[in-house]
Amino acid sequence: MTRESRLMNTFQDPGFVAVRAEGAYLIDDRGRRLLDFVQGWAVNALGHSPAVVRDALAAQAARLVQSGAAIPNEPSRALAAELTRRADLERAFFACTGAEANEGAVKLARKWGKLHRAGAHVVVTATGSFHGRTLAMMAASGKPGFAEMYAPRIEGFRHVPYGDLAALEAAIDESVVAVMLEPVLGEAGVRVLPEGFLREVRRLTEARGVLLICDEVQSGCGRTGRFFAFEHEGIRPDVLTLGKGLGGGLPLSAVLCREEVSCFEPGEQGGTFTNHPLLSAVGLAVVDAVGRPEFLARVREAGARLEAGLRAIAAEVGGEVRARGLLQAIDLPGVAARDFAARAIEAGLIVNPIPPSTIRLMPRLDSTDAEIDEALRILREVLAEVRRV
């Protein structure tokens, strides 16, 4: 099979082509069995091609694949009921990507601001944040240079340092309608908000009469060891976005909100594949599997094992580890992240490099101790190799 590709050059070629996969492992076009600790950037919550997803797909495909976005279907209603119940919110909207969900959340906030806050429209976000790759979400993101990449930039977003409450308070004026925060900055190398910070933000937004939007596209659906990352702080946002792991490998995202914020009228929000019955059926099966208390307890246990191993490695090289559940990163001073990741693939492990020297890990949520120990062993071997060079 030829490796020549006519795909646009939108990602760094890893040097192999995925052929098939199962569980924690991906098999490439050279027949190598690679332990995948990226899992589609935290998308494959239950690993590659899990039976839960396959069975839900087959069962729903035999009943109804697509009814059309304007015709209600039972799977999307059932998933909406389950997710809103878990989040203590009242309304749901389903799309395909996290960027689409975040854009929907901003649209909802601006409509709410028009109705209830004298036309306020500015959304405050954090430096280092990542909310997606649409034009608006690139402007919302706090990634350096992101908003200007396709100038002119979309206006209406204001950035403050992540975890700086005083700066956030100063940024909220009469033009602001919402604060949008990730409880964990995944793309910036797993930066976790200080304990209690989200509670203070909740108090501040309530006092100022603005909405709190939690972007849990990457950190939600069990990734942090709680079903929702905001549960670590015991708060309830006004709007919540989910994606990635929600579909267990399929393109599914969600916007959840309080009843009082649900102000869209027919025709104001939608899309060809919104509230899709096939995707919703899979999402419901994933939520049922991941949302069990014993499953989430195991995520926390596996996360603690991986974190302990990474901290032992970091201690040897003066590095740093940041972790929340099974979303983790290790800084390796003096090590080129991309070179390290390429060498790790040759050694049988897929990791996510964040230049200059950070390695991010997002294994399947049902990772075994053996898989974690294998990943730690390979990381040690690769680190020893690059330090000898």
Side-chain angles (χ1 to χ4, degrees):
M1 181 174 61
T2 179
R3 291 200 68 249
E4 181 183 357
S5 175
R6 292 186 180 272
L7 294 172
M8 287 188 183
N9 185 29
T10 58
F11 59 87
Q12 190 75 32
D13 190 339
F16 67 89
V17 174
V19 175
R20 59 187 179 88
E22 182 179 2
Y25 292 88
L26 183 150
I27 293 84
D28 73 359
D29 52 338
R30 289 158 53 183
R32 294 181 302 179
R33 185 175 168 86
L34 304 173
L35 178 59
D36 189 354
F37 263 47
V38 174
Q39 290 288 347
W41 286 273
V43 167
N44 303 320
L46 300 171
H48 290 284
S49 302
V52 165
V53 170
R54 297 198 313 270
D55 292 348
L57 267 175
Q60 184 58 40
R63 292 168 57 89
L64 174 67
V65 172
Q66 169 66 314
S67 59
I71 300 176
N73 63 81
E74 285 304 317
S76 65
R77 288 187 170 193
L79 181 57
E82 181 62 16
L83 284 175
T84 54
R85 180 188 68 80
R86 288 179 178 274
D88 192 23
L89 295 168
E90 286 81 39
R91 294 287 178 172
F93 170 82
F94 299 112
C96 296
T97 69
E100 198 177 358
N102 285 334
E103 188 131 344
V106 169
K107 288 165 70 176
L108 185 67
R110 288 184 173 178
K111 173 73 184 292
W112 182 87
K114 182 179 181 180
L115 295 173
H116 302 290
R117 198 168 159 78
H121 67 282
V122 172
V123 176
V124 180
T125 65
T127 55
S129 63
F130 182 87
H131 299 293
R133 295 182 183 276
T134 63
L135 286 174
M137 289 306 99
M138 290 179 77
S141 298
K143 191 172 181 177
F146 219 41
E148 289 75 29
M149 193 176 293
Y150 303 106
R153 65 178 292 163
I154 304 296
E155 299 299 328
F157 299 98
R158 188 174 299 165
H159 301 93
V160 299
Y162 191 67
D164 187 331
L165 190 65
L168 178 60
E169 186 170 4
I172 300 176
D173 58 23
E174 292 304 310
S175 70
V176 170
V177 69
V179 173
M180 182 161 70
L181 285 177
E182 296 170 271
V184 183
L185 294 183
E187 297 296 314
V190 188
R191 310 283 172 178
V192 183
L193 283 172
E195 184 176 353
F197 184 85
L198 205 53
R199 289 195 295 273
E200 292 300 318
V201 174
R202 178 70 283 187
R203 293 191 191 102
L204 174 62
T205 53
E206 287 178 344
R208 295 292 186 88
V210 302
L211 302 179
L212 173 59
I213 304 170
C214 280
D215 173 356
E216 295 201 16
V217 169
Q218 186 166 129
S219 61
C221 301
R223 178 56 53 180
T224 68
R226 303 289 180 190
F227 193 81
F228 301 113
F230 70 74
E231 292 181 287
H232 291 280
E233 293 289 311
I235 62 115
R236 181 180 74 146
D238 300 298
V239 183
L240 173 69
T241 60
L242 303 169
K244 294 190 183 294
L246 178 61
L250 272 71
L252 177 64
S253 63
V255 183
L256 311 181
C257 70
R258 293 190 298 111
E259 183 69 43
E260 297 87 342
V261 181
S262 183
C263 55
F264 284 142
E265 296 291 337
E268 293 182 344
Q269 174 67 341
T272 302
F273 298 107
T274 56
N275 300 328
H276 197 284
L278 188 63
L279 301 177
S280 296
V282 171
L284 193 61
V286 171
V287 169
D288 180 64
V290 172
R292 298 174 188 272
E294 61 273 20
F295 185 97
L296 293 169
R298 171 58 196 166
V299 173
R300 296 191 293 273
E301 181 181 288
R305 187 182 189 91
L306 178 60
E307 182 179 356
L310 291 178
R311 290 196 181 282
I313 294 172
E316 297 174 9
V317 297
E320 180 185 355
V321 173
R322 294 176 298 278
R324 180 70 96 175
L326 280 172
L327 180 57
Q328 306 199 12
I330 180 170
D331 293 338
L332 300 172
V335 173
R338 287 201 176 100
D339 177 60
F340 185 97
R343 290 173 183 268
I345 286 172
E346 291 302 316
L349 175 67
I350 303 173
V351 294
N352 175 223
I354 300 178
S357 57
T358 298
I359 298 298
R360 182 169 50 150
L361 303 106
M362 301 158 280
R364 64 175 182 160
L365 297 182
D366 47 352
S367 292
T368 67
D369 287 351
E371 291 161 4
I372 291 169
D373 293 346
E374 181 183 357
L376 291 168
R377 175 186 61 78
I378 295 173
L379 287 172
R380 281 186 174 279
E381 290 176 357
V382 174
L383 181 58
E385 177 186 334
V386 299
R387 295 182 77 195
R388 283 196 300 268
V389 174

